[in-house]
Amino acid sequence: MVAGLLALAACGVTYTSPTVKTQAAGAKVRVVALSTQSVLLANREAYVPRSLPEVFYIGTGGGSVNPGAAIPPAPYVPNEVRQSLTLRLPSDPPVEPYRIGVGDVVLLSTNGSASTIEELSGILAVQNQRQGFTVREDGAISIPNIGAVSIAGMTLEEAEARLFRALVENQVDPDFSLEISQFNSKKIVVGGAVANPTIVPVTLNTPNLGQVLTASGGLALQDEEFASIRLYRDGTLYQIPIRDFYNRPELQRTRLVDGDAIYVDTSYDLDRALTFYQQKINVLNLRNQARAQALSELSTQVGLRRAALDEQRSNFEARAQLGAEKRDYVYLAGEVNKQSRFALPYGQQANLADVLYDNGGFSTQTGNPAHIYVLRASSNPAEFGAVTAWHLNAGNAANITIATQMEMRPNDVVFIEEQPITKWNRALSQFFPPLISIATSAVTQ
């Protein structure tokens, strides 16, 4: 056995493990302890992360549709035949909550919490800021970093619940309230003998007949004898004589609905008012058709742009997978979980903690946390390949915070030495099998 040991020693059978020395292939190795001060020096070396191609930053864009023509004026009918005015009232419409429509502008309001504002992914930029979102033609609003959320046809409570789910699904703390700042989807038209013909928006509280007439500046009548208020709703024309309107306060509280058209007529020809409303309906139909066609064309254009962008992005990703795109790497060696390389990300810096823990970290049973090194070759030709070994002593776990500050550079090598006991275990595991073999041979002889 002694002869075997001597033979093994004579043959140079020893265990050698990698370590950081002060010389490497004739070049000097400078070992610098990483601290909150020295990490600033390590990060001074210039490096601009590679950027993704511009195609990854281009959106398909949007557009707008033709708003259509204005409501035509009432036609003039010169031949009038007097007839008595009769009261014709519409049925009382059901009370329904306001439902959000296309063109409405909604507001998301935070409660003023700074953490909530940061978590809302660009929805609100500063504390207590409120930003409006317009409901698009497809019934959705577009929220930064969240995407399109369809809310058209919903009540405020339903829309708020839908937005709550969308934010939660995107892992955003949904601390907000929803309100409507501009009511653009539902309207009541007022024309005829009023001070200012106008379009009155329908809000959370639908205005009644008296309120919309007040909004138009009030009645502008010279002769009340044959004046009447015409109400056009769902293809039916109703009539309220002015005298009845003044004498019966309940008529002033007549409830209106979206799409109602009010025309104050000083004549007595019901057909004239009906012609006015029929023209209004025709124009609105033409406007809707133009909007639908424009929206279809816009959707086609957006689809083509999106397909072109997707193709360019897919081609880039395929080239990257095949290694045809140049990348910057950091290499992991020593007692890491896997000897590998880490691709530095596009458009941002990576730190030592990213490199270590993105690959599962290292085993403290074999790796020595007190000897973690970032080996960085000098780019200065005058230094003839000198290497700086930035030494992180993570035996004190508090020093791991320095790893989150240490920025990586292309071709850095992250090296972790083995534990002293690991060296012995590995040396013995290689030493004993040949020793036992020699001893067995000696016994058998």
Side-chain angles (χ1 to χ4, degrees):
M1 292 181 64
V2 173
L5 290 173
L6 295 175
L8 289 173
C11 293
V13 179
T14 58
Y15 172 75
T16 302
S17 61
T19 184
V20 175
K21 304 180 182 300
T22 57
Q23 291 286 333
K28 293 183 178 180
V29 178
R30 297 169 296 195
V31 179
V32 180
L34 273 176
S35 64
T36 54
Q37 289 78 29
S38 62
V39 74
L40 299 177
L41 180 63
N43 293 340
R44 286 177 55 185
E45 185 171 341
Y47 170 62
V48 178
R50 296 183 180 275
S51 298
L52 285 169
E54 186 180 359
V55 68
F56 282 89
Y57 301 95
I58 300 176
T60 54
S64 59
V65 297
N66 183 8
I71 298 174
Y76 174 70
V77 181
N79 297 323
E80 300 177 345
V81 179
R82 293 195 175 190
Q83 58 187 17
S84 60
L85 296 176
T86 58
L87 177 64
R88 295 175 55 189
L89 292 176
S91 58
D92 201 20
V95 178
E96 294 181 351
Y98 185 89
R99 295 191 176 274
I100 299 171
V102 174
D104 286 345
V105 178
V106 298
L107 290 175
L108 299 181
S109 308
T110 68
N111 64 354
S113 169
S115 61
T116 299
I117 293 169
E118 294 173 357
E119 292 172 351
L120 283 178
S121 305
I123 299 176
L124 302 173
V126 295
Q127 187 170 347
N128 293 326
Q129 180 179 345
R130 290 140 53 96
Q131 179 174 343
F133 298 94
T134 302
V135 181
R136 306 182 311 205
E137 292 285 340
D138 59 358
I141 60 175
S142 180
I143 303 178
N145 300 330
I146 300 297
V149 181
S150 181
I151 61 173
M154 298 182 181
T155 64
L156 265 177
E157 291 75 11
E158 294 170 347
E160 192 167 272
R162 177 67 186 89
L163 287 171
F164 182 93
R165 291 195 302 272
L167 294 175
V168 170
E169 291 169 359
N170 285 272
Q171 299 180 353
V172 176
D173 183 13
D175 190 3
F176 72 97
S177 62
L178 181 68
E179 63 184 277
I180 303 174
S181 65
Q182 296 181 29
F183 299 84
N184 300 322
S185 63
K186 299 173 177 59
K187 302 177 180 65
I188 297 171
V189 179
V190 184
V194 292
N196 298 300
T198 186
I199 296 178
V200 180
V202 176
T203 62
L204 297 179
N205 298 317
T206 305
N208 57 38
L209 183 57
Q211 290 170 335
V212 299
L213 290 175
T214 301
S216 65
L219 303 176
L221 301 173
Q222 295 180 353
D223 185 3
E224 297 179 0
E225 181 180 1
F226 295 103
S228 64
I229 300 172
R230 309 290 172 82
L231 168 60
Y232 186 87
R233 177 185 297 169
D234 297 332
T236 303
L237 188 62
Y238 303 94
Q239 179 174 267
I240 302 176
I242 290 296
R243 291 181 177 178
D244 291 338
F245 181 78
Y246 285 155
N247 296 331
R248 296 176 56 180
E250 71 273 16
L251 297 180
Q252 301 177 21
R253 296 190 294 272
T254 299
R255 291 168 51 198
L256 304 177
V257 296
D258 173 40
D260 281 355
I262 308 299
Y263 185 83
V264 180
D265 198 353
T266 57
S267 72
Y268 34 78
D269 188 354
L270 209 60
D271 293 336
R272 178 181 176 223
L274 185 58
T275 301
F276 165 75
Y277 296 120
Q278 190 61 50
Q279 289 185 4
K280 169 183 173 292
I281 291 174
N282 292 338
V283 171
L284 292 177
N285 287 338
L286 291 174
R287 181 188 301 171
N288 290 336
Q289 292 175 8
R291 283 178 178 269
Q293 181 179 357
L295 182 60
S296 177
E297 294 175 356
L298 180 63
S299 298
T300 301
Q301 294 173 6
V302 170
L304 292 174
R305 290 199 297 267
R306 180 178 292 114
L309 291 175
D310 288 344
E311 182 179 11
Q312 294 179 59
R313 294 165 183 168
S314 177
N315 290 340
F316 174 81
E317 292 171 354
R319 291 195 303 271
Q321 291 178 358
L322 295 173
E325 293 290 338
K326 187 172 180 58
R327 291 295 302 270
D328 294 329
Y329 294 97
V330 171
Y331 301 88
L332 289 89
E335 297 303 313
V336 293
N337 281 343
K338 182 181 179 181
Q339 309 282 323
S340 59
R341 64 181 185 177
F342 174 88
L344 293 178
Y346 289 102
Q348 61 180 341
Q349 300 280 0
N351 56 51
L352 177 57
D354 294 330
V355 175
L356 285 176
Y357 297 104
D358 187 74
N359 290 273
F362 64 96
S363 172
T364 55
Q365 291 183 344
T366 60
N368 189 347
H371 290 279
I372 300 175
Y373 297 90
V374 176
L375 307 178
R376 182 175 297 171
S378 174
S379 58
N380 186 357
E383 295 185 343
F384 300 102
V387 176
T388 301
W390 298 99
H391 175 209
L392 175 66
N393 181 2
N396 181 356
N399 288 338
I400 297 177
T401 59
I402 301 177
T404 64
Q405 305 171 32
M406 175 67 181
E407 296 178 357
M408 307 307 296
R409 297 293 183 263
N411 299 321
D412 280 353
V413 177
V414 177
F415 171 74
I416 303 177
E417 286 191 0
E418 60 189 349
Q419 294 273 15
I421 188 64
T422 303
K423 293 182 182 181
W424 280 98
N425 287 340
R426 290 174 176 171
L428 293 176
S429 67
Q430 295 183 18
F431 175 75
F432 276 112
L435 180 63
I436 294 174
S437 177
I438 292 173
T440 303
S441 299
V443 171
T444 56
Q445 292 175 1

